Amino acid sequence: MGVVPIKSRRGEDKRMITKLNATSIMVLDKDEALDFYVNKVGLEKGQDIKQGSYRWLTVRVPDDPGTEISLEEPGPPVHDEATAAQLRELITKGALGGLVFQSDDVRGLYETLKARGVSDFTQEPADRFYGTDMGIRDPFGNAIRILQPKKVAHAAKA
Amino acid sequence: MNRRVLRARDAMDRAYAEPLDVRAVASVAHLSRAHFIRCFRAVFGETPHRYLQRRRVERSMFLLRETDRSVTDICFDVGFTSSGTFSRTFREIVGETPSDYRVEHEPMLPPTCLQMAAMRPVVAAGVAKRSSTFGIAAAAAAP
């Protein structure tokens, strides 16, 4: 059962995947998204590179440079106009996937977000069996959840 | 337009436990009551009233699974104003009574946001798709 580890030449086990390097989220406007995710949510700007007409624009969690979140707009050359229109429909219906972040103080962040003018809360901070979480939407309709995991005493490893 | 109607849907997901009036929800989308109902149906495929009913029933299913609260308490917890309406709506949507559902189901592990997204019940087979306004629950609650 489970994944069979790959053996390296020296014989030690290698896991095939070690980290999430980048993910992406569909937005209607990259500049507006950058403003929201950096100035409202509190992420930092990552890559901002123009390649011809394409702009590779990412944000990431400050002090955690491991995972880039690429902000992607529907449209050519990646999507034909009909596909882009469908994607815009789905984004604004909130029907595409979102992002889940962690925080060490969800209730404090909630106050900060309100002070920064965020009003689209899908859920005020609430306590669950796995921690405290809250939900917001970005300006386009994507769901963002922020979780403060419950601290659990780590059982001693056998 | 989608984004505005989504904002109103979010408001229902947030405030399902409160007495909600379709006009108030429509105002979140800056739309008149009739226009809002039409737009909501076009965007999400069901009326705002049915959406709210399914949200309330989903939350009641959650409380039936996760807590020991009485069926009557849960009915009011999730925003129904009469236990008759709650039982009837629950049976209509889920296909069994709240008590039977409770006996057969245990707490679930996925995070609440995923449960809210994925566990909102589809209407049980054979149920006519009526339901247009918030008025039904309000009328049933009148003494």
Side-chain angles (χ1 to χ4, degrees), chain A residues 56-101:
Chain A
W56 183 39
L57 180 63
T58 71
V59 292
R60 59 195 176 203
V61 175
D63 305 320
D64 179 24
T67 305
E68 304 276 339
I69 302 160
S70 180
L71 306 173
E72 300 288 345
E73 266 174 43
V78 183
H79 312 106
D80 63 279
E81 194 38 57
T83 306
Q86 287 178 320
L87 282 168
R88 285 186 207 105
E89 280 282 306
L90 294 174
I91 294 165
T92 51
K93 283 184 186 189
L96 294 188
L99 299 167
V100 185
F101 295 105

Side-chain angles (χ1 to χ4, degrees), chain B residues 50-125:
Chain B
R50 181 51 105 183
Y51 183 88
L52 179 63
Q53 278 189 328
R54 288 171 58 204
R55 170 58 63 225
R56 285 173 168 163
V57 167
E58 180 275 330
R59 287 289 85 195
S60 76
M61 294 163 83
F62 171 80
L63 292 171
L64 288 164
R65 291 193 306 267
E66 311 279 335
T67 72
D68 296 324
R69 291 178 67 73
S70 75
V71 172
T72 310
D73 285 346
I74 288 174
C75 147
F76 296 117
D77 285 346
V78 300
F80 284 93
T81 48
S82 100
S83 54
T85 307
F86 171 61
S87 301
R88 182 163 44 74
T89 308
F90 192 102
R91 261 203 319 276
E92 180 184 305
I93 290 177
V94 182
E96 61 187 333
T97 67
S99 309
D100 287 346
Y101 177 82
R102 167 171 262 169
V103 170
E104 289 157 20
H105 293 82
E106 301 203 320
M108 291 184 180
L109 283 178
T112 305
C113 58
L114 295 181
Q115 291 194 29
M116 283 185 73
M119 299 304 295
R120 204 167 58 95
V122 292
V123 177

Side-chain angles (χ1 to χ4, degrees), chain B residues 18-37:
Chain B
E18 294 159 28
L20 281 178
D21 162 61
V22 70
R23 222 174 288 273
V25 177
S27 74
V28 174
H30 304 290
L31 294 171
S32 73
R33 181 180 175 284
H35 194 198
F36 172 65
I37 292 170

Side-chain angles (χ1 to χ4, degrees), chain A residues 88-94 119-124 128-130 133 137-141 145, chain B residues 2-4 6-7 9-10 13-14 42-44 59 62 66 108-113 115-116:
Chain A
R88 285 186 207 105
E89 280 282 306
L90 294 174
I91 294 165
T92 51
K93 283 184 186 189
S119 57
D120 271 334
F121 289 94
T122 52
Q123 181 208 298
E124 272 80 29
R128 316 288 188 192
F129 70 89
Y130 45 84
D133 64 5
R137 278 202 197 277
D138 78 4
F140 319 104
R145 308 238 8 133
Chain B
N2 284 1
R3 189 66 187 84
R4 282 155 66 185
L6 177 61
R7 196 167 283 126
R9 199 189 77 176
D10 285 343
D13 284 337
R14 223 170 40 236
V43 172
F44 295 118
R59 287 289 85 195
F62 171 80
E66 311 279 335
M108 291 184 180
L109 283 178
T112 305
C113 58
Q115 291 194 29
M116 283 185 73

